[in-house]
Amino acid sequence: MSLRGQAYIAGAYEHPTRKAPDTSIAQLHAEAARGALADAGLTKDDVDGYFCAGDAPGMGPLAMADYMNLRLRHVDSTEMGGSSYIAHVAHAAAAIAMGRCSVALITLAGRPRSEGQSGTAARPVVANAPESPWEAPFGPVTVNLYAMCAMRHMHEFGTTPEQLAWIKVAASHHAQHNPNAMLRDVVTVEEILASPVISDPLRRLDCCVVSDGGGALVVVRPEIARALRRPLVRVMGAGEAPKGQLGGDVDLTFSGARWSGPAAFAEAGITPADIKYASIYDSFTITVLIQLEDLGFCPKGGGGRFVQDGNLIAGVGRLPFNTDGGGLCNNHPANRGGITKVIEAVRQLRGEAHPAVQVANCDLALAQGTGGLLGSRHGSATLILERA
């Protein structure tokens, strides 16, 4: 079943907080939900489908549906880390096409900043995870598992730290226009290279921010979307794929986007050259570079040349990306920022991004998420949206 045109995103909301020490995660979910429903012109009583992932407290959708007093006939708690919420849009569109719900609510929320979490702490042992007995004794650290990919990419293709730095430069150029962004100062390549090394070759400014916050989306049937007084944003294509250790055939230079991207483009009936704006998951600069290659915006190994010299900056480069500042500068709630990638893509397609970064004639946008660890196992989800 093709998702093309089967559902529309009618509401999108990014929680403005970046630190919420006195607010519960459940409350952040509810506040984000209220914002997205208000944006769509709907209420919680219109919702009959609910989607959330592992950031939700308690038993996920069951606990949150009770907390928000939702009356539902469809729930989904697909867990793919930061790519969950991009996959949720596709799952919501499929559920709508199958008649299982008409108005689907998707929420994310978290408090990693208030709780003192970071990417430099050892990964927690996941009970019953098959890899834990073999990997946990070595104390794997998130940033190390991305730095390995960066080092290998540099070895294989000659990618340079300066090229990675251009990704942060582009994000900072966009974040200066976002009043809610955690890092609003424009930075230079030289400043990024002068920041402390966290895990060679990644420096502090190659890493995303850690923030509290959240966001929400509302996905609806086409006839409901057309009845609402909001610009129409249509789901055109989606793809998702896991990548693991591949039975020992390990290659650190590519991500699951190698499979999720082509599936989404095929369903939408377009090519990477048609995309006007891209929201790319940016936990680290290397995450962006590898996904750009895997999605087909440039050849494998050509990511460094593609991103350098401002080619990701709106109004300057070939492919404007993360015009809200992304995870590198704006926010990264719940240590998983996938939903914000869809939110900014919706803003661009509606013409509601900040005027300084609004992409002219933006009719096709891509949102890409990676959830998990680029250097070991992760999920990938790709979503293509169109201004109808």
Side-chain angles (χ1 to χ4, degrees):
M1 179 185 67
S2 172
L3 298 182
R4 184 171 177 171
Q6 298 280 4
Y8 290 67
I9 297 179
Y13 179 80
E14 179 186 350
H15 204 294
T17 190
R18 299 296 180 263
K19 191 171 185 180
D22 300 321
T23 305
S24 71
I25 292 176
Q27 185 176 343
L28 289 172
H29 272 277
E31 290 174 358
R34 181 174 60 189
L37 288 166
D39 180 62
L42 297 168
T43 72
K44 71 176 185 64
D45 294 333
D46 297 305
V47 175
D48 59 353
Y50 179 56
F51 297 70
C52 66
D55 58 286
M59 295 181 68
L62 303 184
M64 284 307 306
D66 189 33
Y67 182 83
M68 293 190 286
N69 195 25
L70 300 176
R71 300 292 187 265
L72 304 171
R73 56 193 183 99
H74 186 75
V75 295
D76 188 321
S77 60
T78 298
E79 174 56 81
M80 294 173 59
S83 61
S84 301
Y85 319 91
I86 294 170
H88 285 173
V89 175
H91 294 189
I96 287 169
M98 296 173 67
R100 294 187 172 180
C101 61
S102 296
V103 176
L105 172 66
I106 304 166
T107 65
L108 167 144
R111 301 172 62 252
R113 186 179 180 192
S114 291
E115 294 170 2
Q117 300 176 27
S118 77
T120 58
R123 298 285 297 182
V125 176
V126 179
N128 301 320
E131 72 277 6
S132 290
W134 316 109
E135 296 180 2
F138 296 95
V141 172
T142 297
V143 65
N144 293 356
L145 290 164
Y146 284 78
M148 288 195 309
C149 299
M151 188 66 80
R152 188 65 193 180
H153 203 280
M154 290 177 174
H155 173 77
E156 290 276 352
F157 305 115
T159 307
T160 67
E162 289 82 1
Q163 290 171 333
L164 287 181
W166 272 107
I167 298 170
K168 178 75 166 198
V169 169
S172 73
H173 272 269
H174 300 151
Q176 67 177 314
H177 306 293
N178 182 350
N180 294 320
M182 287 184 66
L183 304 178
R184 296 189 64 192
D185 291 340
V186 175
V187 295
T188 65
V189 169
E190 293 72 24
E191 288 171 324
I192 294 163
L193 297 181
S195 66
V197 173
I198 302 301
S199 182
D200 193 23
L202 298 180
R203 291 161 167 79
R204 182 164 62 196
L205 293 182
D206 285 301
C207 306
C208 70
V209 300
V210 176
S211 74
D212 300 345
L217 297 162
V218 179
V219 185
V220 302
R221 287 182 6 223
E223 56 269 33
I224 294 175
R226 287 190 286 267
L228 299 171
R229 296 182 179 180
R230 298 299 283 130
L232 295 173
V233 175
R234 179 164 49 207
V235 176
M236 292 294 287
E240 57 192 71
K243 184 198 173 190
Q245 298 296 291
L246 301 177
D249 186 17
V250 178
D251 185 341
L252 297 175
T253 66
F254 75 91
S255 72
R258 170 179 286 190
W259 302 297
S260 67
F265 282 116
E267 186 168 56
I270 64 169
T271 70
D274 298 314
I275 295 296
K276 302 290 181 60
Y277 165 78
S279 282
I280 307 291
Y281 199 90
D282 55 345
S283 48
F284 301 90
T285 52
I286 187 61
T287 320
V288 175
L289 187 143
I290 287 178
Q291 289 175 107
L292 286 170
E293 294 175 345
D294 295 337
L295 291 167
F297 290 113
C298 57
K300 177 53 64 178
R305 293 183 296 277
F306 184 81
V307 302
Q308 69 186 17
D309 300 326
N311 277 326
L312 299 180
I313 300 175
V316 175
R318 290 176 287 173
L319 183 68
F321 104 120
N322 296 10
T323 46
D324 60 343
L328 289 170
C329 295
N330 176 27
N331 72 338
H332 194 240
N335 286 332
R336 41 172 74 203
I339 204 166
T340 59
K341 300 298 170 264
V342 183
I343 292 168
E344 184 66 7
V346 169
R347 291 190 191 114
Q348 282 287 350
L349 292 169
R350 287 175 168 180
E352 295 175 351
H354 190 283
V357 297
Q358 176 64 54
V359 176
N361 303 312
C362 187
D363 57 349
L364 282 168
L366 174 145
Q368 168 66 30
T370 291
L373 299 166
L374 200 63
S376 60
R377 55 195 61 80
H378 61 269
S380 178
T382 308
L383 183 68
I384 295 172
L385 303 172
E386 179 185 48
R387 183 184 66 221

mmCIF file of all heavy atoms in Angstrom, residues 8-41:
data_model
loop_
_atom_site.group_PDB
_atom_site.id
_atom_site.type_symbol
_atom_site.label_atom_id
_atom_site.label_comp_id
_atom_site.label_asym_id
_atom_site.label_seq_id
_atom_site.Cartn_x
_atom_site.Cartn_y
_atom_site.Cartn_z
ATOM 1 N N TYR A 8 -2.381 13.871 5.721
ATOM 2 C CA TYR A 8 -1.795 15.210 5.754
ATOM 3 C C TYR A 8 -1.363 15.543 7.179
ATOM 4 O O TYR A 8 -1.994 15.108 8.143
ATOM 5 C CB TYR A 8 -2.811 16.261 5.288
ATOM 6 C CG TYR A 8 -3.149 16.229 3.817
ATOM 7 C CD1 TYR A 8 -3.838 15.142 3.262
ATOM 8 C CD2 TYR A 8 -2.785 17.273 2.981
ATOM 9 C CE1 TYR A 8 -4.148 15.117 1.915
ATOM 10 C CE2 TYR A 8 -3.105 17.267 1.626
ATOM 11 C CZ TYR A 8 -3.782 16.177 1.101
ATOM 12 O OH TYR A 8 -4.084 16.148 -0.241
ATOM 13 N N ILE A 9 -0.311 16.327 7.297
ATOM 14 C CA ILE A 9 0.058 16.875 8.603
ATOM 15 C C ILE A 9 -0.679 18.194 8.775
ATOM 16 O O ILE A 9 -0.448 19.153 8.035
ATOM 17 C CB ILE A 9 1.581 17.075 8.726
ATOM 18 C CG1 ILE A 9 2.284 15.726 8.617
ATOM 19 C CG2 ILE A 9 1.915 17.746 10.054
ATOM 20 C CD1 ILE A 9 3.793 15.812 8.703
ATOM 21 N N ALA A 10 -1.575 18.225 9.741
ATOM 22 C CA ALA A 10 -2.424 19.400 9.948
ATOM 23 C C ALA A 10 -1.947 20.264 11.099
ATOM 24 O O ALA A 10 -2.306 21.450 11.177
ATOM 25 C CB ALA A 10 -3.864 18.958 10.202
ATOM 26 N N GLY A 11 -1.177 19.699 12.029
ATOM 27 C CA GLY A 11 -0.724 20.463 13.188
ATOM 28 C C GLY A 11 0.712 20.128 13.533
ATOM 29 O O GLY A 11 1.134 18.976 13.411
ATOM 30 N N ALA A 12 1.467 21.137 13.939
ATOM 31 C CA ALA A 12 2.865 20.938 14.343
ATOM 32 C C ALA A 12 3.202 21.964 15.411
ATOM 33 O O ALA A 12 2.846 23.136 15.297
ATOM 34 C CB ALA A 12 3.803 21.097 13.143
ATOM 35 N N TYR A 13 3.895 21.509 16.449
ATOM 36 C CA TYR A 13 4.232 22.404 17.566
ATOM 37 C C TYR A 13 5.529 21.958 18.205
ATOM 38 O O TYR A 13 5.714 20.775 18.509
ATOM 39 C CB TYR A 13 3.117 22.388 18.611
ATOM 40 C CG TYR A 13 3.376 23.262 19.822
ATOM 41 C CD1 TYR A 13 3.159 24.640 19.766
ATOM 42 C CD2 TYR A 13 3.826 22.705 21.003
ATOM 43 C CE1 TYR A 13 3.386 25.445 20.872
ATOM 44 C CE2 TYR A 13 4.054 23.502 22.121
ATOM 45 C CZ TYR A 13 3.835 24.870 22.046
ATOM 46 O OH TYR A 13 4.067 25.666 23.152
ATOM 47 N N GLU A 14 6.436 22.904 18.396
ATOM 48 C CA GLU A 14 7.682 22.674 19.112
ATOM 49 C C GLU A 14 7.613 23.377 20.456
ATOM 50 O O GLU A 14 7.374 24.584 20.515
ATOM 51 C CB GLU A 14 8.862 23.212 18.301
ATOM 52 C CG GLU A 14 10.204 23.038 18.987
ATOM 53 C CD GLU A 14 11.335 23.703 18.215
ATOM 54 O OE1 GLU A 14 11.108 24.139 17.065
ATOM 55 O OE2 GLU A 14 12.438 23.806 18.777
ATOM 56 N N HIS A 15 7.806 22.635 21.532
ATOM 57 C CA HIS A 15 7.749 23.238 22.863
ATOM 58 C C HIS A 15 8.885 24.252 22.996
ATOM 59 O O HIS A 15 10.036 23.944 22.673
ATOM 60 C CB HIS A 15 7.870 22.166 23.937
ATOM 61 C CG HIS A 15 7.283 22.568 25.253
ATOM 62 N ND1 HIS A 15 7.807 23.592 26.009
ATOM 63 C CD2 HIS A 15 6.207 22.096 25.942
ATOM 64 C CE1 HIS A 15 7.094 23.728 27.110
ATOM 65 N NE2 HIS A 15 6.105 22.841 27.093
ATOM 66 N N PRO A 16 8.601 25.460 23.486
ATOM 67 C CA PRO A 16 9.645 26.491 23.532
ATOM 68 C C PRO A 16 10.665 26.312 24.647
ATOM 69 O O PRO A 16 11.744 26.915 24.593
ATOM 70 C CB PRO A 16 8.841 27.785 23.740
ATOM 71 C CG PRO A 16 7.592 27.345 24.435
ATOM 72 C CD PRO A 16 7.278 25.993 23.863
ATOM 73 N N THR A 17 10.359 25.493 25.655
ATOM 74 C CA THR A 17 11.300 25.374 26.768
ATOM 75 C C THR A 17 12.558 24.637 26.351
ATOM 76 O O THR A 17 12.524 23.750 25.492
ATOM 77 C CB THR A 17 10.665 24.663 27.976
ATOM 78 O OG1 THR A 17 11.554 24.779 29.094
ATOM 79 C CG2 THR A 17 10.438 23.189 27.702
ATOM 80 N N ARG A 18 13.665 25.026 26.951
ATOM 81 C CA ARG A 18 14.919 24.294 26.781
ATOM 82 C C ARG A 18 15.431 23.782 28.128
ATOM 83 O O ARG A 18 16.390 23.037 28.177
ATOM 84 C CB ARG A 18 15.975 25.198 26.126
ATOM 85 C CG ARG A 18 15.583 25.709 24.734
ATOM 86 C CD ARG A 18 15.441 24.569 23.749
ATOM 87 N NE ARG A 18 15.062 25.023 22.413
ATOM 88 C CZ ARG A 18 13.829 25.028 21.943
ATOM 89 N NH1 ARG A 18 12.838 24.599 22.716
ATOM 90 N NH2 ARG A 18 13.573 25.429 20.712
ATOM 91 N N LYS A 19 14.769 24.201 29.214
ATOM 92 C CA LYS A 19 15.072 23.685 30.541
ATOM 93 C C LYS A 19 13.809 23.761 31.377
ATOM 94 O O LYS A 19 13.223 24.827 31.524
ATOM 95 C CB LYS A 19 16.206 24.469 31.206
ATOM 96 C CG LYS A 19 16.718 23.795 32.484
ATOM 97 C CD LYS A 19 17.979 24.459 33.018
ATOM 98 C CE LYS A 19 18.531 23.685 34.220
ATOM 99 N NZ LYS A 19 19.763 24.295 34.760
ATOM 100 N N ALA A 20 13.399 22.617 31.894
ATOM 101 C CA ALA A 20 12.122 22.537 32.611
ATOM 102 C C ALA A 20 12.297 21.742 33.895
ATOM 103 O O ALA A 20 11.745 20.641 34.048
ATOM 104 C CB ALA A 20 11.063 21.906 31.720
ATOM 105 N N PRO A 21 13.040 22.265 34.854
ATOM 106 C CA PRO A 21 13.314 21.486 36.076
ATOM 107 C C PRO A 21 12.082 21.202 36.911
ATOM 108 O O PRO A 21 12.071 20.247 37.694
ATOM 109 C CB PRO A 21 14.309 22.369 36.837
ATOM 110 C CG PRO A 21 14.045 23.752 36.333
ATOM 111 C CD PRO A 21 13.679 23.588 34.889
ATOM 112 N N ASP A 22 11.037 22.022 36.765
ATOM 113 C CA ASP A 22 9.842 21.864 37.603
ATOM 114 C C ASP A 22 8.639 21.335 36.830
ATOM 115 O O ASP A 22 7.503 21.442 37.300
ATOM 116 C CB ASP A 22 9.490 23.211 38.255
ATOM 117 C CG ASP A 22 10.609 23.740 39.126
ATOM 118 O OD1 ASP A 22 11.247 22.919 39.819
ATOM 119 O OD2 ASP A 22 10.869 24.952 39.093
ATOM 120 N N THR A 23 8.892 20.772 35.653
ATOM 121 C CA THR A 23 7.808 20.254 34.821
ATOM 122 C C THR A 23 8.051 18.766 34.565
ATOM 123 O O THR A 23 9.163 18.367 34.225
ATOM 124 C CB THR A 23 7.749 20.996 33.476
ATOM 125 O OG1 THR A 23 7.652 22.405 33.714
ATOM 126 C CG2 THR A 23 6.551 20.548 32.659
ATOM 127 N N SER A 24 7.023 17.964 34.718
ATOM 128 C CA SER A 24 7.173 16.529 34.493
ATOM 129 C C SER A 24 7.212 16.230 32.991
ATOM 130 O O SER A 24 6.744 17.025 32.164
ATOM 131 C CB SER A 24 6.025 15.759 35.141
ATOM 132 O OG SER A 24 4.810 15.984 34.434
ATOM 133 N N ILE A 25 7.741 15.053 32.661
ATOM 134 C CA ILE A 25 7.765 14.638 31.260
ATOM 135 C C ILE A 25 6.341 14.484 30.731
ATOM 136 O O ILE A 25 6.042 14.873 29.597
ATOM 137 C CB ILE A 25 8.560 13.329 31.110
ATOM 138 C CG1 ILE A 25 10.043 13.585 31.399
ATOM 139 C CG2 ILE A 25 8.388 12.750 29.709
ATOM 140 C CD1 ILE A 25 10.902 12.340 31.368
ATOM 141 N N ALA A 26 5.444 13.948 31.542
ATOM 142 C CA ALA A 26 4.049 13.799 31.109
ATOM 143 C C ALA A 26 3.434 15.161 30.796
ATOM 144 O O ALA A 26 2.698 15.321 29.809
ATOM 145 C CB ALA A 26 3.237 13.083 32.183
ATOM 146 N N GLN A 27 3.739 16.154 31.613
ATOM 147 C CA GLN A 27 3.190 17.491 31.376
ATOM 148 C C GLN A 27 3.747 18.083 30.087
ATOM 149 O O GLN A 27 3.012 18.731 29.328
ATOM 150 C CB GLN A 27 3.499 18.408 32.552
ATOM 151 C CG GLN A 27 2.844 19.787 32.441
ATOM 152 C CD GLN A 27 3.089 20.645 33.678
ATOM 153 O OE1 GLN A 27 3.474 20.137 34.733
ATOM 154 N NE2 GLN A 27 2.873 21.936 33.547
ATOM 155 N N LEU A 28 5.033 17.853 29.812
ATOM 156 C CA LEU A 28 5.617 18.342 28.559
ATOM 157 C C LEU A 28 4.939 17.690 27.358
ATOM 158 O O LEU A 28 4.657 18.355 26.352
ATOM 159 C CB LEU A 28 7.121 18.074 28.531
ATOM 160 C CG LEU A 28 7.985 18.906 29.474
ATOM 161 C CD1 LEU A 28 9.422 18.383 29.474
ATOM 162 C CD2 LEU A 28 7.963 20.390 29.083
ATOM 163 N N HIS A 29 4.672 16.393 27.444
ATOM 164 C CA HIS A 29 3.922 15.710 26.381
ATOM 165 C C HIS A 29 2.568 16.380 26.173
ATOM 166 O O HIS A 29 2.164 16.659 25.034
ATOM 167 C CB HIS A 29 3.701 14.236 26.755
ATOM 168 C CG HIS A 29 4.800 13.311 26.343
ATOM 169 N ND1 HIS A 29 4.903 12.770 25.086
ATOM 170 C CD2 HIS A 29 5.843 12.816 27.045
ATOM 171 C CE1 HIS A 29 5.965 11.979 25.028
ATOM 172 N NE2 HIS A 29 6.556 11.984 26.210
ATOM 173 N N ALA A 30 1.860 16.611 27.260
ATOM 174 C CA ALA A 30 0.513 17.174 27.168
ATOM 175 C C ALA A 30 0.531 18.597 26.623
ATOM 176 O O ALA A 30 -0.331 18.980 25.821
ATOM 177 C CB ALA A 30 -0.163 17.138 28.541
ATOM 178 N N GLU A 31 1.505 19.398 27.053
ATOM 179 C CA GLU A 31 1.599 20.774 26.562
ATOM 180 C C GLU A 31 1.925 20.800 25.067
ATOM 181 O O GLU A 31 1.391 21.633 24.316
ATOM 182 C CB GLU A 31 2.638 21.539 27.365
ATOM 183 C CG GLU A 31 2.204 21.810 28.806
ATOM 184 C CD GLU A 31 3.289 22.451 29.651
ATOM 185 O OE1 GLU A 31 4.412 22.660 29.126
ATOM 186 O OE2 GLU A 31 3.030 22.743 30.831
ATOM 187 N N ALA A 32 2.809 19.902 24.632
ATOM 188 C CA ALA A 32 3.121 19.822 23.208
ATOM 189 C C ALA A 32 1.896 19.376 22.419
ATOM 190 O O ALA A 32 1.601 19.912 21.340
ATOM 191 C CB ALA A 32 4.286 18.864 22.976
ATOM 192 N N ALA A 33 1.157 18.408 22.959
ATOM 193 C CA ALA A 33 -0.056 17.936 22.294
ATOM 194 C C ALA A 33 -1.071 19.064 22.144
ATOM 195 O O ALA A 33 -1.665 19.249 21.069
ATOM 196 C CB ALA A 33 -0.662 16.782 23.086
ATOM 197 N N ARG A 34 -1.263 19.827 23.206
ATOM 198 C CA ARG A 34 -2.208 20.940 23.153
ATOM 199 C C ARG A 34 -1.797 21.954 22.089
ATOM 200 O O ARG A 34 -2.643 22.485 21.351
ATOM 201 C CB ARG A 34 -2.300 21.604 24.521
ATOM 202 C CG ARG A 34 -3.293 22.768 24.592
ATOM 203 C CD ARG A 34 -3.440 23.273 26.008
ATOM 204 N NE ARG A 34 -2.168 23.740 26.551
ATOM 205 C CZ ARG A 34 -1.973 24.082 27.820
ATOM 206 N NH1 ARG A 34 -2.962 23.979 28.685
ATOM 207 N NH2 ARG A 34 -0.794 24.486 28.226
ATOM 208 N N GLY A 35 -0.488 22.218 21.994
ATOM 209 C CA GLY A 35 -0.014 23.175 21.008
ATOM 210 C C GLY A 35 -0.247 22.713 19.581
ATOM 211 O O GLY A 35 -0.662 23.496 18.722
ATOM 212 N N ALA A 36 0.012 21.442 19.300
ATOM 213 C CA ALA A 36 -0.179 20.929 17.948
ATOM 214 C C ALA A 36 -1.650 20.878 17.565
ATOM 215 O O ALA A 36 -2.027 21.177 16.420
ATOM 216 C CB ALA A 36 0.447 19.550 17.819
ATOM 217 N N LEU A 37 -2.492 20.500 18.502
ATOM 218 C CA LEU A 37 -3.929 20.466 18.219
ATOM 219 C C LEU A 37 -4.473 21.864 17.971
ATOM 220 O O LEU A 37 -5.293 22.077 17.070
ATOM 221 C CB LEU A 37 -4.673 19.792 19.377
ATOM 222 C CG LEU A 37 -4.470 18.278 19.483
ATOM 223 C CD1 LEU A 37 -4.951 17.759 20.823
ATOM 224 C CD2 LEU A 37 -5.199 17.568 18.340
ATOM 225 N N ALA A 38 -4.013 22.839 18.759
ATOM 226 C CA ALA A 38 -4.435 24.215 18.539
ATOM 227 C C ALA A 38 -3.964 24.717 17.176
ATOM 228 O O ALA A 38 -4.689 25.437 16.472
ATOM 229 C CB ALA A 38 -3.894 25.115 19.658
ATOM 230 N N ASP A 39 -2.743 24.337 16.794
ATOM 231 C CA ASP A 39 -2.223 24.732 15.487
ATOM 232 C C ASP A 39 -3.089 24.180 14.363
ATOM 233 O O ASP A 39 -3.305 24.838 13.342
ATOM 234 C CB ASP A 39 -0.787 24.231 15.344
ATOM 235 C CG ASP A 39 -0.176 24.597 14.019
ATOM 236 O OD1 ASP A 39 -0.036 25.804 13.738
ATOM 237 O OD2 ASP A 39 0.165 23.685 13.237
ATOM 238 N N ALA A 40 -3.612 22.965 14.543
ATOM 239 C CA ALA A 40 -4.462 22.350 13.529
ATOM 240 C C ALA A 40 -5.897 22.864 13.557
ATOM 241 O O ALA A 40 -6.636 22.684 12.579
ATOM 242 C CB ALA A 40 -4.475 20.837 13.724
ATOM 243 N N GLY A 41 -6.296 23.466 14.670
ATOM 244 C CA GLY A 41 -7.690 23.859 14.829
ATOM 245 C C GLY A 41 -8.568 22.717 15.292
ATOM 246 O O GLY A 41 -9.769 22.680 14.994
#
